[in-house]
Amino acid sequence: MGSVPQLTNVFTFLFSSFWHLGFTATNYNCVEPLAAELSPMAFTSSSDLTGTPSAAQLNRRVGIGGWSPADSSAQQWLQLDFGNRVEITAVATQGRYGSSDWVTNYSLMFSDTGHNWKQYRQEDSIWTFSGNVNADSVVHHKLPHSVRARLIRFVPLRWNPSGKIGMRVEVYGCSYKSDIANFDGRSLLLYRFSQKLMSTLKDVIFLKFKSLQGDGVLFHGEGQRGDHITLELQKGRLALHLNLDDSTARLRTSPPSATLGSLLDDQHWHSVLIERVGKQVNFTVDRHTQHFWSKGAADSLDIDYELSFGGIPVPGKPGTFLKKNFHGCIENLYYDRVNIIDLAKRRKHQIHTVGNITFSCSEPPIVPITFVNSNSSYLLLPGTPRINGLSVSFQFRTWNEDGVLLSTELSEGSGTLLLSLEGGVLRLLIQKTTQHVAEILTGSNLNDGLWHVVSLSARRNRITLTLDNGAAPAAQDTTPVQIYSGSSYYFGGCPDHLTESQCLSPVKAFQGCMRLIFIDNQPKDLISVQQGALGNFSGLHIDLCSIKDRCLSNYCEHGGSCSQSWSTFHCNCSGMGYTGATCHNSIHEQSCEVYMHQGNTAGFFHIDTDGSGPLAPLRVDCSITEDKIWTTVQHNNAELTPVQSYSHEKSYTITLDYSGSMEQLEALIDSSEHCEQEVAYHRRRSHLVSTADGAPYIWWIGRSKEKFPFWGGSPPASQQCECGLDKGFLDIPHFCNCDVHKDEWTNYTGLLSFKEQLPVTQIVITHTNRSNLEAAWRIGPLRCYGDRHLWNAVTFDTEASYLHFPAFHAEFSADISFFFKTTALSGVFLENLGLKDFIRLEMSSPSEVTFAIDVGNGPTELIVQSPSVLNDNQWHYVRAERNLKETTLQVDKLPRSTRTTVEDSHFRLQLNGQLLVGGTSSRQKGFQGCIRSLRMNGQKLDLKERARGTSGVRPGCPGHCSSYGSICHNGGRCVEKHSGYLCDCTSSPYEGAFCSKEVSAVFEAGTSVTYTFQEPYPVTKNFNLSSSALYADAAPSKENIALSFMTDRAPSLLLFINYSSQNFLATLLCKNGSLQVRYQLSKEDTHVFTIDTENFANGKMHHLKINREGRELTMQVDQLSCNFSLETKLRWARSLTLGKVTESLVLDSEVAKANSLGFLGCLSSVQYNHIAPLKAALRHATTAPVTIQGTLAEASCGSMVDSTANAVTTDHSSSDPFEKADEREPLTSAVRSVSAIFGGVIALVIFVTACSISVTIRFLYQHKQALRTSQMKKEYPEDLDSAFRNEIDLQDTANERKQEHFI
């Protein structure tokens, strides 16, 4: 059920105020001293130093001057009985007069009967009150919420270590009057209307109730049209059924409209308030409120004849009820300002009583007990030994799956009996030594917090285990077993000193509540146990059940499911898109820009613009252009859509449905630097507007539901399309040429880029119902770029400067994240103070960050120490979080510091001072440096805006490249921007936002790309400034060549560099697929380097690098490299050709053969020094000195390779701001990677060995005289293959010195 805003109707709020004033602790005159007039008999205690009850009023000096127990130990208490229920608003304490006895901490308990006590709680935890520091001073405490009870207990927790427990007390409040009715489970009250039908638009219902039963109807009303309202207990929770004029909804089959509360069958008072205005409903149980919309078509609730309280009678069948009746007490029952119980007490005619109704609350004297400790709690009760048979029964409730319920050593060698809860199943085991004699299993999910009744009996050699009074069939063990009862029964666990034969405890001790314990059909007096007169115990709270539902408030965020044990709760965040102890942290990044900066490629991602905030993640398409990272959100109607025959009276309207909610889209737009949507309107003889003052014929609706008649490219107020702004009117009577009657299709396309109006949610078209008039429209997806928050930074120039923001409100969960850089030794990043609570984040030393927080339990301090200094003027990331489970601190990628939260302690973080960023109100030294991208609970703090006009703080922070320059890949250069940085890919063969997108093309037979270096061959001049900047040449002292290729054809010529008419460098694939690099640096000097470790014409991607500096030459193919030495100096290059060489040059026969077809395949990322010839051909063909012949088709070589593999999902997420990529890979990739590693190792060994041999041969060769051979003409058989002849011919060349190196 989705939540709705609280009721805003003034009338209802007046009612609400009335009920709350009458029935909550807002009686400001309720401060009378209540204990001062009590007699000494009204004071009782667990024990007394004098042996008789001692009066212990405040300032009492007679007697022993107050109360002290006989033994100062735990479980002592002082009790006051006021005789009737009173409202208690405050308490005060003193120590015992004239002594060293005083209490330093205590708790309070309350009861109406003297049994079944309830502990005073605040913030859903047992509240500990601070006591005295001496015997005479008075310490007052005003209760945050008042209590109504007849009895109060002061329970000392700690006292003066140099003295004993000693107390004098006062209780403040006032008398309390109420109207109470007692229902016995067979009775009810009928409130009959003065007319047949009661129809109401507004209702306010208030009551308080207490019950021992988990089920029962509190009130019910229904009408003939199907209207009904019912409030009932269901398994200890309150279910409200409300239906307005919906005949299909039936009470028995329809789920509740709302369910609230838990453990409401605890025999304590619980308040209920129902407020309805029309379909809007506020449903409050105790302090928990749920807002919802009721079902049905009408706004009024129509009830026929009567409302019933306590049950649902069946018409015409007296004493018959539709559902289980309520059994318990109801107090102050009001229906629309009518006091129902008061009318019943005065026997007014509007009230009809069914069954036995009494007007005082009758409560059975049931004494519950709580097993507190899972290690040492137990209760020992005596039994009657050596009886032939056994009978034990009791009730229990718990949240734990496992625990010992009962263990006893049977008489006459019968063995040991164990009754335990294991995995939520009840298990009975009778064991002799190590042999199982009998075993019974019954029930499931018995750790659901509900009361369960267990009855164990052994008679006539049969054992029977009954659960919940026969709700499940009784379980029996058919093995005949003779059972003789034991003398000692251990409930909940075993004392440490007992053996297994005396008490079995295979699982941990029981944590939970028990009551109504019977042994041998006799009830056990647990008050006598408390007084030490019966049995023994340890780790027990007697006369109260302190179970609590830790999932009632459900502190699991973002839809996480809550489960619990006795002492804690757990959150299951699976499938929610969030993680952490309370599902607080989003696993997705805030924008496409963050994903891309982590090294991810384009694809579909989920972005969470508000992080841990309430908005769900939004699935978007992230893409990269040369200088921008685009975020695209599609809608359901992206195709060109025709429109015909619509008029003003019947317009054409279409609503666009995006892949996210309007709140998500608005958050994306607001956090982006720029957003746009393309709009296109195709028309034939149609208009946009008729005249300057005419009504528009077409308009669109934006996010604010406002109508916009302007079209793409024009300002909002113009009521025109872009063509109307340039005054290019074709027809004067019309407002713009978009409105001219043209008998041909015209397309008007533009961009809507006013962020405050986007996205387009609806388009409306009219006036297309004339003959021969046609139109079509298309609204493009929402596209945005720029993360405004990621680079939102400020510089704090002095330690005294700071920014202030409103107080940080994060009671249950708080997360703070930001980046910082500094050269200072220390400084406070931020601080926020409350009356007692505070948070502070600071760099406490050059290598240490500290997070300090106090929520009322004393300061908690977490420290992360870095092995390297943090004041290195580099950006560092900090994230601190606090929730109900833990407090954490993360700095960069260092190990996270974590502190577990203490259960049942203060947990609300309450801050009321200003949030100070970069400074502190409690210390002198603030922060000096830069802070950026500050988020607090998903909210983005606009630091730059707040810094404007603030002394000592400047918007922005330079120096991003020093931290992030490495993200510009492949020779890209980092360039500083006012907000962030960009990568300049001018000198890189790659492109894209980070110079990581390959520039590649497919070459066909005869394709040639020739880059001509300008005179004098290096590119020092160009056609214009921009191309000169793009294509600057390298110095002649070195030569760097890099390219990637993929082909399955050989021979092929990859690259050819012409130095002069006879000098060149050629890179080619020989017929056998080996890679060959041929240097002809003079007519007589040729160097040939052949790499034949594999067939490189295998359709796979290969990467080649050739680097020469002076005489040193390095060649690298894929992962293999080798070094050589060349004696010839480098020369200036005249031209560089990719593919087929078309110039008339003298080529040796091997190059000529490879050049016959050129290159067939894909070339990528080609670079020569600082020149990217392929990129120049594809991107700047008109300005660069490049010539293209044949067909050159741009394509992605990488995609051509990847297309052979199975595709995997392109949805990505990341929860680590430093993670470089999504590490999830398909299984095939993993197998391929392992194979590649083994293959690479083998190839590397072969390659290194070959390099060593080659270097050795080179060394020996330099000591020999060069051999010259004359060209000899060879005779071949006529049938010899011509290709094979060419191979033989290429082994020699005439009049040249050839040096060959095989790798």
Side-chain angles (χ1 to χ4, degrees):
M1 178 73 64
S3 65
V4 299
Q6 294 191 18
L7 303 181
T8 57
N9 186 276
V10 176
F11 183 77
T12 301
F13 269 122
L14 290 175
F15 272 118
S16 303
S17 301
F18 174 79
W19 304 130
H20 286 294
L21 284 171
F23 305 113
T24 63
T26 54
N27 189 339
Y28 297 105
N29 297 317
C30 192
V31 289
E32 302 171 7
L34 302 177
E37 304 299 325
L38 292 178
S39 70
M41 298 304 296
F43 289 83
T44 56
S45 60
S46 53
S47 65
D48 196 285
L49 189 63
T50 65
T52 59
S54 299
Q57 287 98 338
L58 210 64
N59 298 315
R60 183 179 178 85
R61 299 187 179 187
V62 298
I64 64 170
W67 167 73
S68 283
D71 177 34
S72 291
S73 60
Q75 306 293 331
Q76 302 291 344
W77 44 264
L78 172 65
Q79 177 178 306
L80 284 71
D81 186 350
F82 300 105
N84 294 294
R85 291 175 71 201
V86 295
E87 182 164 2
I88 301 171
T89 60
V91 295
T93 60
Q94 273 180 308
R96 191 164 63 86
Y97 175 70
S99 72
S100 298
D101 305 338
W102 60 81
V103 172
T104 57
N105 292 99
Y106 63 93
S107 63
L108 294 176
M109 297 198 299
F110 302 89
S111 174
D112 287 345
T113 62
H115 295 298
N116 191 31
W117 291 81
K118 186 173 184 179
Q119 295 162 308
Y120 185 82
R121 290 177 176 267
Q122 178 68 8
E123 294 186 359
D124 207 27
S125 300
I126 299 172
W127 196 258
T128 299
F129 294 85
S130 58
N132 301 92
V133 295
N134 55 48
D136 296 320
S137 61
V138 178
V139 177
H140 292 263
H141 287 286
K142 183 178 180 181
L143 302 185
H145 58 87
S146 66
V147 175
R148 298 178 185 91
R150 174 187 153 192
L151 302 102
I152 182 174
R153 274 184 182 178
F154 291 82
V155 182
L157 301 175
R158 286 181 289 275
W159 49 90
N160 179 20
S162 301
K164 297 181 294 185
I165 295 175
M167 295 190 83
R168 289 176 287 174
V169 300
E170 182 57 271
V171 178
Y172 300 93
C174 56
S175 60
Y176 176 69
K177 302 295 183 180
S178 65
D179 295 307
I180 295 177
N182 187 84
F183 297 80
D184 62 3
R186 300 289 301 171
S187 55
L188 55 82
L189 292 175
L190 297 177
Y191 172 51
R192 289 175 172 167
F193 307 141
S194 56
Q195 64 268 20
K196 176 182 177 182
L197 175 68
M198 176 71 77
S199 181
T200 59
L201 289 172
K202 309 176 184 68
D203 291 302
V204 179
I205 303 171
F206 177 85
L207 61 90
K208 298 183 74 173
F209 74 92
K210 64 162 51 177
S211 177
L212 283 172
Q213 304 297 322
D215 298 280
V217 174
L218 286 162
F219 69 81
H220 170 77
E222 63 180 81
Q224 294 181 355
R225 298 185 311 170
D227 292 25
H228 63 255
I229 181 170
T230 304
L231 181 68
E232 63 175 323
L233 275 168
Q234 294 180 347
K235 294 184 177 181
R237 307 190 71 192
L238 270 181
L240 175 61
H241 301 262
L242 180 60
N243 180 73
L244 306 178
D245 193 23
D246 184 357
S247 58
T248 61
R250 290 290 180 265
L251 178 60
R252 288 187 176 183
T253 58
S254 300
S257 304
T259 303
L260 264 183
S262 179
L263 310 175
L264 300 178
D265 54 349
D266 57 0
Q267 194 62 12
H268 294 295
W269 288 108
H270 299 281
S271 62
V272 182
L273 175 64
I274 301 170
E275 304 165 290
R276 182 188 70 87
V277 175
K279 293 186 177 66
Q280 299 181 73
V281 183
N282 285 349
F283 179 35
T284 303
V285 177
D286 295 333
R287 291 173 180 82
H288 302 278
T289 301
Q290 185 172 342
H291 315 287
F292 68 92
W293 290 83
S294 61
K295 296 180 180 179
D299 289 331
S300 61
L301 175 64
D302 295 344
I303 303 298
D304 292 336
Y305 301 111
E306 63 189 16
L307 278 172
S308 62
F309 297 94
I312 306 177
V314 177
K317 297 182 179 180
T320 305
F321 305 98
L322 187 63
K323 305 186 78 170
K324 185 175 181 180
N325 278 25
F326 173 74
H327 188 179
C329 303
I330 296 180
E331 178 185 57
N332 294 334
L333 172 57
Y334 280 80
Y335 171 71
D336 285 346
R337 305 173 71 177
V338 176
N339 188 335
I340 302 297
I341 297 177
D342 178 65
L343 292 178
K345 288 168 64 176
R346 292 189 290 131
R347 300 180 181 274
K348 294 296 182 178
H349 69 278
Q350 300 100 315
I351 301 297
H352 177 67
T353 303
V354 177
N356 183 28
I357 298 285
T358 59
F359 299 104
S360 63
C361 191
S362 174
E363 301 183 53
I366 295 176
V367 178
I369 58 175
T370 303
F371 295 81
V372 179
N373 195 305
S374 63
N375 296 319
S376 59
S377 292
Y378 73 91
L379 168 66
L380 168 61
L381 292 175
T384 305
R386 293 182 294 278
I387 296 177
N388 185 3
L390 178 145
S391 175
V392 178
S393 66
F394 59 91
Q395 296 181 16
F396 76 91
R397 73 190 316 174
T398 184
W399 296 115
N400 287 357
E401 289 185 338
D402 305 296
V404 173
L405 296 173
L406 170 66
S407 181
T408 181
E409 183 181 12
L410 303 172
S411 302
E412 308 297 333
S414 302
T416 304
L417 181 147
L418 171 69
L419 185 64
S420 61
L421 199 62
E422 299 181 22
V425 176
L426 194 63
R427 182 188 185 216
L428 172 64
L429 175 67
I430 298 178
Q431 178 175 304
K432 290 183 178 180
T433 63
T434 58
Q435 178 184 4
H436 292 183
V437 177
E439 182 177 22
I440 297 176
L441 299 174
T442 186
S444 63
N445 193 32
L446 299 179
N447 59 317
D448 55 4
L450 303 179
W451 284 110
H452 295 284
V453 182
V454 178
S455 178
L456 170 64
S457 65
R459 293 287 185 273
R460 299 185 182 89
N461 298 334
R462 296 286 185 185
I463 303 174
T464 303
L465 182 62
T466 304
L467 180 64
D468 292 334
N469 296 322
Q476 293 185 343
D477 190 288
T478 57
T479 305
V481 179
Q482 187 68 43
I483 297 294
Y484 292 92
S485 63
S487 60
S488 300
Y489 291 81
Y490 292 93
F491 291 86
C494 300
D496 293 336
H497 64 275
L498 297 184
T499 64
E500 283 196 0
S501 62
Q502 296 172 303
C503 183
L504 280 175
S505 183
V507 295
K508 63 183 181 181
F510 174 74
Q511 272 185 299
C513 299
M514 288 188 186
R515 68 185 184 189
L516 298 175
I517 300 177
F518 287 74
I519 299 177
D520 300 328
N521 296 318
Q522 296 298 316
K524 293 300 178 179
D525 184 1
L526 298 179
I527 297 299
S528 296
V529 175
Q530 184 184 41
Q531 295 171 347
L534 179 69
N536 198 0
F537 68 92
S538 174
L540 256 64
H541 289 162
I542 297 179
D543 213 359
L544 79 158
C545 177
S546 56
I547 189 172
K548 62 180 290 187
D549 190 341
R550 299 177 187 274
C551 290
L552 177 59
S553 297
N554 193 7
Y555 297 110
C556 302
E557 303 176 51
H558 301 109
S561 60
C562 180
S563 61
Q564 62 186 312
S565 63
W566 182 265
S567 58
T568 188
F569 69 94
H570 307 277
C571 296
N572 182 0
C573 314
S574 301
M576 298 293 107
Y578 295 85
T579 186
T582 58
C583 309
H584 180 72
N585 309 317
S586 178
I587 65 174
H588 307 288
E589 297 299 344
Q590 68 192 46
S591 65
C592 286
E593 189 160 346
V594 177
Y595 279 116
M596 299 301 105
H597 281 281
Q598 291 175 358
N600 292 282
T601 57
F604 287 99
F605 295 80
H606 282 87
I607 62 171
D608 201 331
T609 52
D610 70 339
S612 58
L615 294 180
L618 175 65
R619 187 173 185 264
V620 300
D621 183 9
C622 298
S623 58
I624 306 176
T625 60
E626 189 69 31
D627 60 344
K628 293 180 179 62
I629 299 170
W630 287 91
T631 302
T632 303
V633 184
Q634 298 288 346
H635 57 75
N636 61 333
N637 209 325
E639 301 299 325
L640 186 66
T641 304
V643 181
Q644 288 183 341
S645 300
Y646 286 93
S647 63
H648 271 296
E649 293 75 20
K650 183 183 179 183
S651 61
Y652 171 86
T653 303
I654 190 74
T655 300
L656 303 183
D657 182 16
Y658 291 83
S659 57
S661 68
M662 186 54 60
E663 291 79 9
Q664 290 173 304
L665 298 178
E666 289 179 6
L668 168 63
I669 293 170
D670 294 342
S671 63
S672 300
E673 292 181 6
H674 170 84
C675 291
E676 64 184 36
Q677 272 187 281
E678 184 183 74
V679 292
Y681 185 61
H682 300 255
R683 60 93 177 171
R684 188 171 72 90
R685 299 185 63 81
S686 74
H687 301 263
L688 293 182
V689 292
S690 181
T691 66
D693 345 347
Y697 293 149
I698 177 171
W699 62 87
W700 56 274
I701 308 296
R703 71 158 95 166
S704 62
K705 299 183 179 180
E706 185 179 354
K707 182 169 69 173
F708 296 105
F710 70 94
W711 209 239
S714 62
S718 65
Q719 195 170 309
Q720 301 181 46
C721 57
E722 185 177 10
C723 57
L725 301 177
D726 57 16
K727 307 299 182 183
F729 288 38
L730 297 182
D731 194 347
I732 298 301
H734 294 90
F735 196 36
C736 80
N737 57 356
C738 308
D739 296 312
V740 177
H741 287 271
K742 297 179 65 176
D743 199 22
E744 59 190 47
W745 282 98
T746 307
N747 173 19
Y748 297 100
T749 301
L751 291 176
L752 303 175
S753 57
F754 295 94
K755 286 173 51 178
E756 62 275 9
Q757 297 159 356
L758 296 178
V760 178
T761 61
Q762 199 176 70
I763 185 169
V764 180
I765 301 176
T766 65
H767 204 67
T768 61
N769 56 341
R770 292 181 293 122
S771 60
N772 300 324
L773 190 151
E774 298 177 79
W777 64 272
R778 187 181 71 83
I779 306 293
L782 176 66
R783 301 176 73 238
C784 300
Y785 69 76
D787 186 337
R788 295 178 56 240
H789 182 69
L790 182 61
W791 305 108
N792 191 308
V794 293
T795 302
F796 296 91
D797 292 325
T798 67
E799 294 176 352
S801 57
Y802 61 87
L803 299 176
H804 61 87
F805 293 87
F808 181 36
H809 296 291
E811 290 188 334
F812 307 119
S813 295
D815 72 271
I816 306 167
S817 64
F818 58 90
F819 293 86
F820 79 92
K821 70 173 183 173
T822 184
T823 56
L825 297 177
S826 62
V828 176
F829 299 126
L830 60 86
E831 180 185 79
N832 203 166
L833 304 181
L835 295 177
K836 296 181 179 179
D837 301 355
F838 74 87
I839 56 171
R840 183 184 301 114
L841 262 167
E842 63 180 312
M843 188 177 72
S844 47
S845 75
S847 59
E848 191 173 86
V849 173
T850 301
F851 177 40
I853 184 170
D854 189 349
V855 295
N857 306 307
T860 297
E861 194 172 85
L862 278 72
I863 298 175
V864 171
Q865 291 185 327
S866 172
S868 57
V869 296
L870 299 171
N871 61 340
D872 55 0
N873 207 28
Q874 303 289 311
W875 285 112
H876 296 280
Y877 179 73
V878 176
R879 188 180 191 280
E881 182 186 354
R882 176 262 168 187
N883 56 54
L884 270 63
K885 301 284 291 181
E886 62 186 13
T887 304
T888 63
L889 175 63
Q890 176 90 50
V891 178
D892 293 336
K893 297 181 72 174
L894 297 172
R896 188 175 65 166
S897 176
T898 303
R899 186 79 52 84
T900 302
T901 302
V902 178
E903 298 286 347
D904 294 323
S905 59
H906 299 282
F907 58 83
R908 291 178 185 268
L909 176 62
Q910 296 177 327
L911 306 172
N912 52 17
Q914 287 186 327
L915 168 67
L916 303 181
V917 178
T920 171
S921 60
S922 59
R923 299 185 182 183
Q924 295 298 317
K925 192 172 183 179
F927 175 73
Q928 189 172 7
C930 297
I931 293 178
R932 72 172 176 88
S933 192
L934 174 59
R935 282 174 171 256
M936 304 186 73
N937 269 6
Q939 296 297 313
K940 307 165 186 177
L941 273 64
D942 194 342
L943 300 175
K944 292 172 65 175
E945 182 62 31
R946 188 57 63 100
R948 303 185 196 280
T950 302
S951 176
V953 187
R954 291 180 288 114
C957 179
H960 300 299
C961 285
S962 61
S963 297
Y964 303 114
S966 60
I967 205 170
C968 297
H969 303 292
N970 304 305
R973 183 174 63 90
C974 183
V975 178
E976 289 286 342
K977 292 171 56 181
H978 180 67
S979 296
Y981 64 93
L982 61 82
C983 295
D984 180 7
C985 307
T986 298
S987 300
S988 172
Y990 291 78
E991 62 184 5
F994 309 109
C995 308
S996 56
K997 181 182 178 182
E998 67 175 21
V999 178
S1000 52
V1002 173
F1003 285 66
E1004 298 181 359
T1007 300
S1008 173
V1009 174
T1010 300
Y1011 187 97
T1012 303
F1013 301 106
Q1014 304 299 297
E1015 297 289 349
Y1017 308 124
V1019 181
T1020 57
K1021 297 180 180 179
N1022 236 326
F1023 294 110
N1024 54 46
L1025 181 61
S1026 60
S1027 59
S1028 176
L1030 284 169
Y1031 308 104
D1033 193 24
S1037 61
K1038 62 182 180 181
E1039 189 171 57
N1040 298 315
I1041 303 170
L1043 61 87
S1044 300
F1045 67 90
M1046 180 182 69
T1047 185
D1048 56 2
R1049 300 293 182 90
S1052 292
L1053 180 61
L1054 301 175
L1055 176 142
F1056 184 89
I1057 299 177
N1058 177 28
Y1059 300 103
S1060 65
S1061 59
Q1062 295 183 345
N1063 302 330
F1064 61 84
L1065 179 149
T1067 302
L1068 53 97
L1069 293 177
C1070 299
K1071 184 175 182 180
N1072 62 358
S1074 61
L1075 180 65
Q1076 193 173 91
V1077 177
R1078 301 176 71 88
Y1079 265 105
Q1080 182 169 307
L1081 301 178
S1082 66
K1083 187 175 182 181
E1084 297 82 13
D1085 190 7
T1086 301
H1087 298 264
V1088 180
F1089 304 93
T1090 304
I1091 302 174
D1092 56 3
T1093 54
E1094 64 174 292
N1095 178 8
F1096 292 97
N1098 57 0
K1100 297 180 180 179
M1101 204 70 182
H1102 298 284
H1103 310 280
L1104 171 65
K1105 290 184 178 180
I1106 304 173
N1107 300 318
R1108 183 181 174 190
E1109 187 164 359
R1111 297 182 179 182
E1112 298 301 319
L1113 175 69
T1114 300
M1115 293 181 55
Q1116 179 178 340
V1117 182
D1118 297 332
Q1119 301 301 318
L1120 309 177
S1121 63
C1122 198
N1123 299 322
F1124 303 96
S1125 179
L1126 293 176
E1127 297 179 358
T1128 308
K1129 294 182 179 180
L1130 280 168
R1131 298 170 180 257
W1132 292 107
R1134 295 175 180 269
S1135 63
L1136 181 149
T1137 300
L1138 302 175
K1140 185 176 181 63
V1141 176
T1142 58
E1143 295 181 79
S1144 299
L1145 300 174
V1146 178
L1147 306 177
D1148 65 28
S1149 54
E1150 186 77 11
V1151 176
K1153 180 180 178 183
N1155 189 51
S1156 60
L1157 290 177
F1159 176 74
L1160 282 79
C1162 194
L1163 282 179
S1164 174
S1165 308
V1166 182
Q1167 186 166 22
Y1168 178 78
N1169 292 338
H1170 296 301
I1171 299 170
L1174 184 59
K1175 182 177 175 182
L1178 293 172
R1179 299 288 180 263
H1180 306 282
T1182 59
T1183 58
V1186 62
T1187 303
I1188 303 173
Q1189 297 186 26
T1191 301
L1192 181 70
E1194 182 174 1
S1196 172
C1197 298
S1199 299
M1200 296 171 66
V1201 174
D1202 294 340
S1203 63
T1204 60
N1206 291 331
V1208 296
T1209 180
T1210 56
D1211 284 298
H1212 310 275
S1213 66
S1214 171
S1215 57
D1216 186 348
F1218 303 97
E1219 202 66 43
K1220 296 305 180 185
D1222 192 342
E1223 296 179 356
R1224 295 171 292 176
E1225 296 290 345
L1227 182 61
T1228 54
S1229 298
V1231 174
R1232 190 183 303 116
S1233 298
V1234 173
S1235 303
I1237 291 172
F1238 284 109
V1241 170
I1242 296 171
L1244 181 60
V1245 172
I1246 297 173
F1247 190 73
V1248 170
T1249 304
C1251 287
S1252 301
I1253 296 172
S1254 177
V1255 170
T1256 302
I1257 294 173
R1258 172 69 176 170
F1259 176 77
L1260 294 175
Y1261 177 81
Q1262 290 177 344
H1263 291 77
K1264 294 182 179 180
Q1265 183 179 5
L1267 298 177
R1268 298 180 180 272
T1269 58
S1270 58
Q1271 183 179 4
M1272 299 178 60
K1273 184 175 182 178
K1274 298 180 176 60
E1275 298 291 332
Y1276 303 108
E1278 292 182 358
D1279 58 348
L1280 189 63
D1281 182 75
S1282 59
F1284 184 64
R1285 294 184 188 184
N1286 291 336
E1287 286 190 350
I1288 297 176
D1289 287 337
L1290 290 175
Q1291 301 305 312
D1292 287 330
T1293 56
N1295 301 319
E1296 79 173 345
R1297 183 180 63 170
K1298 177 162 53 175
Q1299 300 177 18
E1300 295 190 74
H1301 308 269
F1302 291 90
I1303 301 171

